């Protein structure tokens, strides 16, 4: 272990490394090196170095011959890569230095190498930076523990051929070196005892930086910060040290600045390539470099962007169909006979409607809803039914094709059979610390911590009670908004009586009590949603931590279910109210239904004569668009402003002396739940465009425009505003997949009910095909048919408008009846005010439509899901071939190894005959002796094994990678002499 602290400012040092000194390192390029490191007062203690090496190390982006040595991802020796950085500031707490000493001492015992940057060399003059390097032995050990897959053979599976007319997609493609930053290999889990089995040309480049920082973080998360003789609870892990302020930050480094590319094109920065080809908004029409994203950030983040990109691609087809349905509503605008009748002064202008509330609301004429009836027709037409059925099938195709895309990524990114390993190996450090009881694992036969069932039940009850409380709070807020709608509607109706809005010359004709109430209530509801969401996010994390999940996967799944359940109620409850409750439990004049009882005088809301669909559309647009705009503002501006505020004092040093670790330390930290919120935002949007899409066909178009921006905003954040996240693996999108499936099934039901009960489609169809002669299908007279009659003299006095509130045209006329939206017998009938047979016919037609639509869509969904296999056939074939090759190569490897062991026992090799090999040519001395022995055994055993027909000595199996490497010196006598 080597521990180095910052050098003094007035120090000048010249370091020379010869080939003899460099033999202690594993890097073949470091056999001959010449470095000059200068420290002086002029450069404020920051040096430059002159390096002359045969070739640059993998990932080393600083390729200039003369460059500042602080903007680098390597230790001062220029050889050992910085895999992780910890920062801290000294304060008056005496316990923190002791914790750091013990923690760093235990890190060194674990095999990590440390190097400290003195605070005098930092920009603020008070921050220490501890740089961590994982040598080969540590990487190999934990790669074996974590079962990280390593290549053993170059893939012989050809890439997909270009499709016909592929030139059409050429403008959307990225360069091949960006899309495929590394060759394809067959891989298998790493085994430290069989290093010569794998294709290891260079140990420094075998594990990419994302894998290296994942291994180091695994060690940091489990390393204790106490002495071995003290076994105290919770004294373990970097997360604990970050929470108590011992360290201020812990992060892996970006490989370079994103705004400047490397001068050497052969060693171009991955971060710069991501910014240039992915994070800029001008690349919005380009494909995403998923393989480069996965290589730089890890599989978990790569899967998220793959899913988001695929979801956006599929939204294009839904958006096109939604635009077509909306265009149909526009083109059939003039054929809307019902709206024409409502707007006709001789029809709608002669129909007097009953008051919509008690006391404050007056009688009104039907033609006052002329504009809303035209607006309703844009979304409530024959295309609505078709679009609802289409979206039910679309969501199935989206989920099934995503499963295929996901299966392909699982194979290409070495994620097959990963989940079982994740469950067994990635135990959360918090679980290990808080669960002191241990028991034998029946599978591994090892003692491991566990949480007693009694404690689980108690924590589950507390968690469930908390979730129910917050869901009840949401329902209470929604009830409050409904009460607001009822109270404010009466106020608006009182203010706007007798055309009071004519004073507003431009928009006076557009404002109605219904529209004013709907818009203001939707805005208030959106504000309440944002406030509740802010608090519940913190509550959900708290109760999930209290449950102490065992693995990271279990933690994320539990948090996902809690958050989505809350978000479902929070965002969709107001839409459910407008769609399925408003106008359904109103009663009729003389027998109205009140929200909190008759004493409250808050009558339940009624729908316009054109239906409640336009109000559902208004609610959906305000909540959906408001959420997307607020989310994009938060994602784009907040990170930028926070980073600006953090560096508002400015840097005291020139930009070229601003060290790589200080640059990243000034960025925002990407938390463990950062990706969780990205998924949550998109899944909530998915609910909007599927659950209520029958009321607003343009919702997929709005979602498509938002997602095109979302991809680039997220890419820009990851590349420029956040520290590099610790790489982690994930084979799929986790619990979100099941949530999407549930939402997809529920969307069929909700859209069927929206078309049947919220839309006015079924009553119109019943009227069209049952009321008139089939030879003359027309909608004339539908408006009059859909309104019932009530005698004004029978209206209760406490429900009549107050004196002076009635319009002038009512005071000067002798009107005895008013109309209301329902199907009831008129006054004077023996069943007056009871439902007519037409009401029951329409209700039966609605139920029949729901049953038929659900069954048709579900049958098509299940048929499509059955027809489309989850895993493509070529992927299955590749997986089988890779498993076959693994078995074959391992078998040949063991056979050859056994032969050499027998050879060693029968024909011992003299020590003087053992060849000398470079450190990177083999994994250990044993295999070197085995290679040397193979030559001797071939010479000795050749006469016994010679093929009689060819008279040639059999050569070792070429399938064993260990045989591929040649000895540096073939002359035994020459080596012995040397």
């Amino acid at each position: 272990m080597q521990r180095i602290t910052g050098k003094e400012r007035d120090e000048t040092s010249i370091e020379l490394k010869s080939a003899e000194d460099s033999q202690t390192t594993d890097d073949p390029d470091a056999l001959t090196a010449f470095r000059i490191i200068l420290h002086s007062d002029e450069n404020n203690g920051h040096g430059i170095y002159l390096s002359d090496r045969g070739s640059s190390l993998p990932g080393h982006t600083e390729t200039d011959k003369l460059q500042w040595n602080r903007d680098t991802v390597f230790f001062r020796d220029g050889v050992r890569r910085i895999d992780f950085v910890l920062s801290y500031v000294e304060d008056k707490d005496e316990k923190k230095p002791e914790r750091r000493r013990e923690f760093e001492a235990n890190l060194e015992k674990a095999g990590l190498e440390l190097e400290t940057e003195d605070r005098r060399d930092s920009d603020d003059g008070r921050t220490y930076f501890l740089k961590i390097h994982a040598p080969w032995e540590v990487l190999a050990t934990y790669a074996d523990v974590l079962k990280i897959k390593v290549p053993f053979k170059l893939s012989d599976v050809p890439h997909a051929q270009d499709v016909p007319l592929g030139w059409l997609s050429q403008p959307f493609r990225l360069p091949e070196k960006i899309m495929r930053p590394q060759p394809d290999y067959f891989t298998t889990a790493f085994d430290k005892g069989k290093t010569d089995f794998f294709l290891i040309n260079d140990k420094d480049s075998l594990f990419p930086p994302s894998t290296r920082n994942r291994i180091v973080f695994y060690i940091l998360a489990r390393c204790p910060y106490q002495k071995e003789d003290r076994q105290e609870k919770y004294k373990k892990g970097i997360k604990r040290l970050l929470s108590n302020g011992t360290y201020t930050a812990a992060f892996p480094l970006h490989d370079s600045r994103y705004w400047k590319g490397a001068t050497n094109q052969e060693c171009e920065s991955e971060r710069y390539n991501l910014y240039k080809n992915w994070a800029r908004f001008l690349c919005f029409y380009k494909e995403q470099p998923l393989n480069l994203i996965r290589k730089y950030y890890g599989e978990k983040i790569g899967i998220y962007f793959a899913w988001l990109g695929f979801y956006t691609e599929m939204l294009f087809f839904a958006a096109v169909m939604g635009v077509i349905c909306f265009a149909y509503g526009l083109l059939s605008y003039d054929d809307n006979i019902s709206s024409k009748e409502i707007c006709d002064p001789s029809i709608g202008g002669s129909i007097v409607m009953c008051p919509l509330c008690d006391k404050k609301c007056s009688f009104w004429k039907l033609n006052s809803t002329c504009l809303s009836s035209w607006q309703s027709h844009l979304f409530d037409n024959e295309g609505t039914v078709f679009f609802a059925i289409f979206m039910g099938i679309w969501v199935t195709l989206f989920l099934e094709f995503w499963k295929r895309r996901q299966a392909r990524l699982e194979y290409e990114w070495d994620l097959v059979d990963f989940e079982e390993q994740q469950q067994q190996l990635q135990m959360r450090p918090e679980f290990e610390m808080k669960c002191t009881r241990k028991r034998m694992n029946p599978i591994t036969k090892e003692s491991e911590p566990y949480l007693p069932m009694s404690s689980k039940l108690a924590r589950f009850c507390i968690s469930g009670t908390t979730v129910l409380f917050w869901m009840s709070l949401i329902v209470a807020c929604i009830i409050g908004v409904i009460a607001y709608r009822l109270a404010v509607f009466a106020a608006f109706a009182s203010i706007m009586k007798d055309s009071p809005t004519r004073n507003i010359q431009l928009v006076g004709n557009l404002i109605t009590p219904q529209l004013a109430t709907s818009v203001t209530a939707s805005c208030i509801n959106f504000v309440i949603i944002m406030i509740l969401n802010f608090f519940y996010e913190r509550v959900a994390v708290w109760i999930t931590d209290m449950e102490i999940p065992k693995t990271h996967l279990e933690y994320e799944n539990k948090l996902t279910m809690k958050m989505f359940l809350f978000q479902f109620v929070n965002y969709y409850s107001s839409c459910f109210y407008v769609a399925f409750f408003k106008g359904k439990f109103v009663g009729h004049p003389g027998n109205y239904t009140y929200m909190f009882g008759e004493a409250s005088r808050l009558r339940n809301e009624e729908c316009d004569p054109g239906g409640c669909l336009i109000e559902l559309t208004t609610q959906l647009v305000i909540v959906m668009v408001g959420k997307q705009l607020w989310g994009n503002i938060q994602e784009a501006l907040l990170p930028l402003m926070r980073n600006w505020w953090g560096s508002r004092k400015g840097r005291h040093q020139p930009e070229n002396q601003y060290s790589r670790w200080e640059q990243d330390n000034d960025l925002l930290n990407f938390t463990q739940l950062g990706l969780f919120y990205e998924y949550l935002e998109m899944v909530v949007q998915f609910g909007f465009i599927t659950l209520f899409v029958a009321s607003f066909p343009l919702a997929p178009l709005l979602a498509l425009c938002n997602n095109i921006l979302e991809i680039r905003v997220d890419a820009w954040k990851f590349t420029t505003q956040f520290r590099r996240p610790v790489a982690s693996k994930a084979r799929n999108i986790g619990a979100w997949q099941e949530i999407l499936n549930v939402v997809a099934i529920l969307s069929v039901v909700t859209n069927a009910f929206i078309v049947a009960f919220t839309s006015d489609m079924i009553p119109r169809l019943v009227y069209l095909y049952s009321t008139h002669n089939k030879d003359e299908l027309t909608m004339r007279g539908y408006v009059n048919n859909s309104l019932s009659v009530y005698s004004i003299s029978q209206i209760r006095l406490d429900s009549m408008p107050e004196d002076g509130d009635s319009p002038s045209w009512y005071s000067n006329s002798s009107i005895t009846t008013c109309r209301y939206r329902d199907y009831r017998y008129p006054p004077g009938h023996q069943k007056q005010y009871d439902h007519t047979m037409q009401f029951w016919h329409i209700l039966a037609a609605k139920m029949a439509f729901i049953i038929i639509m659900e069954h048709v869509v579900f049958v098509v969904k299940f048929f499509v899901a059955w027809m489309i296999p989850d895993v493509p056939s070529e992927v299955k074939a590749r997986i089988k071939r890779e498993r076959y090759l693994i078995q074959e190569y391992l078998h040949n490897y063991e056979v050859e190894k056994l032969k050499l062991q027998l050879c060693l026992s029968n024909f011992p090799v003299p020590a003087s005959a053992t060849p000398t090999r470079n450190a990177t040519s083999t994994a250990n001395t044993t295999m070197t002796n085995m290679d040397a022995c193979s030559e001797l055994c071939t010479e000795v055993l050749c006469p016994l094994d010679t093929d009689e027909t060819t008279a040639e000595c059999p050569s070792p199996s070429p399938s064993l990678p260990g045989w591929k490497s040649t000895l540096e010196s073939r002359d035994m006598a020459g080596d012995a002499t040397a």
Side-chain angles (χ1 to χ4, degrees):
M1 316 304 169
Q2 186 177 7
R3 182 68 176 273
I4 306 174
T5 58
K7 296 182 179 181
E8 299 295 333
R9 296 178 182 273
D10 58 349
E11 179 182 359
T12 300
S13 65
I14 298 179
E15 297 180 7
L16 296 176
K17 281 195 177 182
S18 64
E20 296 176 359
D21 299 316
S22 302
Q23 289 180 0
T24 59
T25 167
D26 293 334
D27 183 14
D29 296 327
L31 292 176
T32 302
F34 174 74
R35 291 180 179 80
I36 300 178
I37 302 179
L38 300 177
H39 291 275
S40 62
D41 293 331
E42 286 80 2
N43 56 23
N44 198 19
H46 303 136
I48 59 175
Y49 70 84
L50 179 65
S51 176
D52 184 13
R53 293 185 291 175
S55 60
S56 61
L57 292 173
H60 193 181
T61 60
E62 290 71 31
T63 56
D64 293 336
K65 293 296 182 181
L66 185 64
Q67 55 185 302
W68 297 98
N69 71 328
R70 286 172 56 79
D71 190 13
T72 178
V73 293
F74 291 86
F75 276 19
R76 294 194 190 95
D77 56 16
V79 177
R80 293 174 295 171
R81 187 181 186 93
I82 301 173
D83 297 313
F84 227 87
V85 173
L86 307 180
S87 65
Y88 61 91
V89 177
E90 290 186 345
D91 53 25
K92 298 180 180 179
D93 191 346
E94 298 179 355
K95 295 182 179 179
K96 293 180 181 179
E98 182 181 354
R99 293 178 193 146
R100 285 193 290 265
R101 282 194 299 269
E102 295 298 334
F103 185 69
E104 292 166 15
N106 289 328
L107 289 179
E108 290 181 334
K109 291 178 182 178
L112 299 178
E113 297 178 1
L114 312 178
E115 184 177 83
T116 303
E117 286 290 327
D118 192 83
R119 65 179 183 178
R120 291 172 295 179
D121 292 334
S122 64
D123 185 64
D124 58 6
R126 63 191 192 91
T127 303
Y128 292 88
F129 291 94
L130 177 67
K131 298 175 287 184
I132 302 175
H133 168 75
W136 165 255
E137 283 298 321
V138 174
L139 294 174
T141 300
Y142 283 93
D144 195 348
V145 171
L146 298 175
K147 303 300 179 185
I148 294 174
K149 291 190 175 182
V150 175
F152 69 93
K153 182 183 184 300
L154 190 67
S155 175
D156 56 4
V157 178
H159 292 161
Q161 301 295 326
D162 291 337
V163 296
L165 301 179
W167 57 273
L168 293 175
S169 62
Q170 191 64 33
F172 308 101
R173 294 181 179 177
L174 291 173
E176 185 67 17
K177 66 176 182 179
I178 302 299
M179 293 302 296
R180 297 184 179 274
Q182 55 189 6
D184 293 334
Y185 293 97
F186 289 121
T187 61
T188 187
F190 184 77
D191 189 342
K192 186 179 179 181
K194 302 174 182 178
T195 52
D196 57 335
F197 175 77
F198 303 98
L199 296 179
I200 306 177
N201 296 324
D202 183 7
K203 293 180 180 179
D204 292 307
S205 61
L206 176 63
F207 300 109
S210 57
T211 303
R212 297 174 68 100
N213 71 58
R214 176 176 163 229
I215 291 175
V216 173
F217 184 75
Y218 183 87
I219 300 173
L220 292 174
R222 288 156 176 78
C223 183
Y225 52 91
Q226 60 179 344
K227 295 182 179 179
E228 295 181 356
D229 56 346
R230 300 170 60 186
Q231 299 296 329
E232 296 184 23
K233 196 177 180 181
Y234 305 126
K235 303 292 186 180
K236 183 186 296 185
I238 185 63
K239 290 184 179 180
R240 183 77 176 173
L241 293 174
L242 290 172
S243 63
N244 59 31
T246 303
Y247 290 99
T248 56
F251 53 91
L253 291 178
H254 284 292
D255 60 0
S256 74
R257 304 169 185 169
Y258 68 87
W259 62 88
K260 291 182 181 179
T263 56
N264 184 0
Q265 296 299 320
E266 296 180 356
C267 192
E268 201 169 50
S269 161
E270 292 178 356
R271 187 189 187 191
Y272 174 74
N273 281 332
L274 286 172
Y275 175 75
K276 178 182 177 182
N277 299 285
W278 179 51
R280 296 188 303 170
F281 183 75
L282 294 178
C283 301
F284 72 92
Y285 62 94
K286 295 281 189 179
E287 59 185 337
Q288 296 188 87
L290 295 178
N291 288 321
L292 187 58
I293 297 171
R294 172 244 181 172
K295 181 182 178 184
Y296 193 77
Y297 290 113
E299 288 79 3
K300 190 171 184 178
I301 293 178
I303 283 286
Y304 164 72
F305 281 103
W307 175 81
L308 180 57
F310 182 77
Y311 171 46
T312 305
E313 293 172 10
M314 293 294 294
L315 273 177
F316 173 78
F317 303 101
V320 170
M321 190 58 62
V323 171
I324 293 174
C325 292
F326 181 74
Y328 172 80
L330 286 174
L331 295 176
S332 62
Y333 201 70
D334 293 334
D335 298 332
N336 184 14
I337 297 176
S338 299
S339 296
K340 289 182 178 180
E341 290 185 346
I342 292 175
C343 298
D344 191 343
S346 62
I347 301 176
S350 62
I351 297 177
V352 178
M353 304 296 295
C354 297
L356 296 176
C357 64
D358 295 341
K359 296 291 185 181
K360 298 296 183 181
C361 299
S362 63
F363 296 94
W364 53 286
K365 290 186 177 181
L366 182 61
N367 63 350
S368 64
T369 61
C370 175
L371 181 62
S372 64
S373 66
W374 285 112
Q375 293 171 344
S376 180
H377 175 74
L378 295 177
F379 308 105
D380 188 6
N381 51 64
E382 291 78 6
T384 302
V385 181
F386 169 78
F387 191 62
I389 297 175
F390 170 81
M391 288 302 295
I393 300 174
W394 173 88
V395 73
T396 302
L397 292 174
F398 163 65
L399 294 175
E400 292 302 320
F401 283 130
W402 165 246
K403 290 178 184 177
R404 292 172 61 84
R405 177 74 64 89
Q406 187 172 256
R408 196 182 301 275
L409 289 176
E410 284 182 17
Y411 168 74
E412 293 177 355
W413 292 357
D414 297 329
L415 298 172
V416 179
D417 300 328
F418 169 73
E419 187 172 355
E420 291 75 15
Q421 301 169 8
Q422 174 91 351
Q423 286 280 3
Q424 295 175 6
L425 300 175
Q426 299 293 327
M427 185 180 295
R428 296 176 66 238
E430 293 84 353
F431 183 84
E432 294 178 300
M433 291 186 294
K434 295 180 181 180
C435 300
T436 56
R437 298 187 182 183
K438 293 188 177 183
R439 66 181 178 185
M440 185 70 67
N441 189 317
I443 299 175
T444 62
K445 298 300 181 181
E446 295 179 356
S447 178
E448 64 178 18
Y450 81 103
L451 191 64
M453 184 58 65
S454 58
S455 180
K456 279 186 178 180
L457 290 175
R459 295 171 187 273
F460 176 79
C461 292
I462 297 175
S463 174
T465 304
T466 306
V467 173
L468 289 176
F469 168 77
W470 278 88
M471 291 177 62
S472 302
L473 184 61
I474 296 173
V475 175
C477 291
I478 297 300
I479 294 175
V481 173
I482 296 173
Y484 164 85
R485 297 171 70 104
L486 300 179
V488 171
F489 177 81
F492 278 124
S494 177
I495 295 173
M496 297 179 181
K497 65 178 182 295
D498 201 15
S499 304
T501 56
R502 296 300 183 268
N503 296 328
I504 308 175
Q505 298 296 327
L506 296 178
V507 297
N509 293 328
L510 306 180
I511 299 176
T512 62
Q514 292 89 341
L515 179 61
T517 302
S518 179
V519 171
T520 56
S522 299
C523 293
I524 292 174
N525 183 69
F526 175 72
V527 173
I528 293 175
I529 287 173
M530 293 294 103
I531 294 174
L532 291 177
N533 188 50
F534 173 81
F535 286 105
Y536 186 77
E537 284 180 358
R538 287 144 183 81
V539 173
V541 173
W542 174 75
I543 58 179
T544 306
D545 290 337
M546 182 196 61
E547 293 178 1
I548 320 179
K550 182 177 181 180
T551 64
H552 293 285
L553 183 62
E554 184 181 355
Y555 181 90
E556 291 187 4
N557 289 344
K558 287 188 174 184
L559 182 61
T560 298
M561 297 306 299
K562 291 182 181 64
M563 282 297 298
F564 181 76
L565 187 62
F566 173 82
Q567 298 281 21
F568 185 91
V569 178
N570 196 21
Y571 281 104
Y572 305 144
S573 55
S574 58
C575 294
F576 272 103
Y577 163 74
V578 176
F580 305 125
F581 295 96
K582 182 178 178 181
K584 307 302 185 295
F585 309 98
V586 178
H588 61 86
N591 189 23
Y592 284 117
T593 304
Y594 295 85
M595 184 176 181
F596 300 111
E598 191 172 348
S600 66
R601 311 310 299 168
L602 294 177
R603 256 170 53 186
N604 287 345
E605 289 184 281
E606 298 184 37
C607 292
D608 283 342
C612 278
L613 193 70
I614 188 63
E615 292 193 40
L616 176 60
T617 303
T618 303
Q619 180 77 21
L620 181 65
V621 170
I622 290 177
V623 176
M624 178 180 174
V625 175
K627 182 183 183 303
Q628 291 182 350
L629 289 176
W630 179 251
N632 286 326
I633 291 174
Q634 276 188 314
E635 292 187 24
L637 294 183
L638 285 183
L640 193 63
M641 295 181 66
R642 287 178 180 176
N643 286 332
W644 170 81
W645 182 258
S647 58
R648 64 191 183 280
K649 295 181 180 180
R651 297 193 293 268
H652 304 294
Q653 301 168 0
E655 182 179 285
N656 55 3
Q657 296 182 14
Y658 195 36
S659 66
R660 164 75 12 232
W661 42 91
E662 287 180 289
Q663 294 177 39
D664 287 6
N665 187 62
D666 288 343
L667 299 178
L668 291 179
N669 182 40
F670 187 79
T671 63
Q672 181 184 358
L673 299 177
L675 207 58
F676 167 82
Y677 294 114
E678 302 293 343
Y679 273 117
L680 182 63
E681 179 184 5
M682 289 296 102
V683 172
V684 169
Q685 180 202 85
F686 180 81
F688 279 122
I689 69 166
T690 55
L691 295 175
F692 309 102
V693 73
S695 66
F696 188 49
L698 295 181
L701 179 62
L702 296 179
L704 174 64
C705 297
N706 174 81
N707 287 8
I708 292 175
L709 179 64
E710 179 77 20
I711 291 175
R712 304 304 160 178
V713 169
D714 287 346
W716 172 79
K717 284 192 312 180
F718 275 93
T719 309
T720 66
Q721 302 301 310
F722 283 113
R723 297 169 186 162
R724 187 173 185 172
V726 178
S728 57
K729 285 184 174 289
R731 63 176 299 183
N732 49 42
I733 61 176
W736 300 111
Q737 183 75 38
E738 296 302 321
I739 291 176
L740 292 176
N741 290 332
V742 173
V743 172
I745 295 174
L746 185 61
S747 67
V748 178
V749 180
T750 56
N751 283 299
F753 273 85
I754 287 174
V755 174
F757 287 97
T758 310
S759 168
D760 213 29
M761 181 61 59
I762 302 302
R764 289 201 296 262
L765 292 177
V766 171
Y767 176 82
L768 182 65
Y769 289 102
S770 65
T771 306
H772 285 77
N773 189 346
K774 295 184 178 179
D775 296 332
E776 185 184 358
L777 297 178
T778 179
M779 290 298 296
R780 296 187 183 278
Y782 168 72
V783 173
N784 184 68
N785 178 264
S786 63
L787 299 176
S788 299
V789 181
Y790 195 83
S791 175
I792 296 179
S793 61
Q794 293 179 321
I795 297 179
R796 295 165 49 181
L797 293 178
D798 56 357
S799 298
M800 285 291 290
E802 295 177 349
D803 295 339
D805 284 343
S806 299
S808 58
W809 55 263
Y810 175 76
S811 304
N812 300 328
S813 63
S814 57
I815 300 175
T816 59
T817 61
C818 62
R819 310 293 293 273
Y820 60 98
R821 194 170 187 267
D822 207 343
Y823 295 91
R824 295 179 183 272
Y825 290 110
H829 194 278
Q830 61 180 358
K831 296 182 179 178
Q832 66 175 2
Y833 307 137
D834 289 341
H835 284 119
T836 63
M837 287 303 299
Q838 187 178 1
F839 170 83
W840 300 109
H841 292 163
I842 293 175
L843 181 61
K846 290 180 177 180
M847 300 306 297
F849 172 81
I850 292 173
I851 295 173
I852 293 173
M853 178 179 171
E854 287 182 356
H855 280 71
V856 168
V857 175
F858 279 133
V859 167
V860 174
K861 282 169 62 72
F862 293 139
F863 179 75
V864 170
W866 175 75
M867 287 290 295
I868 302 176
D870 293 346
V871 182
S873 57
E874 66 270 18
V875 173
K876 290 182 180 179
R878 292 181 183 183
I879 293 175
K880 291 180 180 179
R881 172 164 175 75
E882 183 169 297
R883 289 174 176 172
Y884 166 77
L885 287 176
I886 292 173
Q887 294 177 354
E888 182 185 23
Y889 272 53
L890 283 174
H891 172 74
N892 293 336
Y893 174 86
E894 296 296 342
V895 170
E896 298 292 346
K897 187 175 181 180
L898 180 60
K899 287 182 179 179
L900 293 179
Q901 288 176 349
L902 293 174
C903 174
L904 284 172
S905 62
N906 294 325
F907 300 95
V909 183
S912 61
T914 302
T916 303
R917 308 189 69 188
N918 191 296
T920 59
S921 301
T922 186
N924 49 52
T925 307
T926 303
M927 295 311 302
T928 303
N929 293 336
M930 289 170 62
D931 285 345
C933 179
S934 66
E935 295 187 355
L936 296 179
C937 290
T938 301
E939 295 177 1
V940 176
L941 299 178
C942 186
L944 302 177
D945 297 334
T946 303
D947 192 329
E948 295 180 358
T949 58
T950 60
E952 294 181 356
C953 184
S955 61
S957 172
S959 64
L960 182 62
W963 292 106
K964 295 180 181 180
S965 59
T966 58
L967 298 175
E968 293 182 354
S969 175
R970 312 286 288 184
D971 190 351
M972 295 291 185
D975 280 349
T977 303

